[in-house]
Amino acid sequence: MNTQAFYEGTEVTIRGEKYIFPGLSLAQLEENIAEIEKITQMNEADMLKGIGKLAHFLYLAFSRNYPEISEAEFKNMIDIRLAPKLFQYILAESGFEEGVPHAGEALPAAGV
């Protein structure tokens, strides 16, 4: 494992290895914000229907520090218990308060 992460983030242990999960880049957020909003508004039952998208967003952030690990390898590293926690970490690292915007809350806007 690469011990030097390029982007700061939340340290998570997976299969005994430590990984740093950074937030999404501005470009990644811009390209995916509509889908990210949909996922943040899903309940647990619906989350299973969106698991492919969830896994993809997790990989987008993860790959910023570990580009040598393929998306298929990454999906085999994580499980359904860990995925929602990782999504919360990634949203928090991306600048969303508490990881998820609450009903009626606006998403953070860039300051001028």
Side-chain angles (χ1 to χ4, degrees), residues 33 35 72:
I33 195 67
E35 289 296 322

Side-chain angles (χ1 to χ4, degrees), residues 9-83:
T10 302
E11 185 176 283
V12 178
T13 302
I14 302 172
R15 295 184 181 166
E17 294 285 335
K18 294 189 186 298
Y19 296 93
I20 304 295
F21 279 78
L24 296 166
S25 69
L26 289 178
Q28 291 170 328
L29 284 170
E30 185 177 43
E31 290 174 19
N32 298 288
I33 195 67
E35 289 296 322
I36 291 169
E37 285 178 317
K38 286 179 192 175
I39 289 176
T40 62
Q41 296 169 359
M42 288 181 176
N43 61 34
E44 277 189 40
D46 290 336
M47 187 65 76
L48 288 176
K49 296 175 188 173
I51 198 70
K53 282 285 187 189
L54 176 64
H56 179 68
F57 295 134
L58 296 177
Y59 179 72
L60 286 177
F62 179 82
S63 66
R64 295 181 74 202
N65 283 342
Y66 309 99
E68 70 279 4
I69 296 176
S70 72
E71 188 167 357
E73 289 174 291
F74 173 75
K75 287 180 180 181
N76 281 310
M77 290 170 54
I78 61 171
D79 59 31
I80 194 67
R81 293 174 300 133
L82 185 56

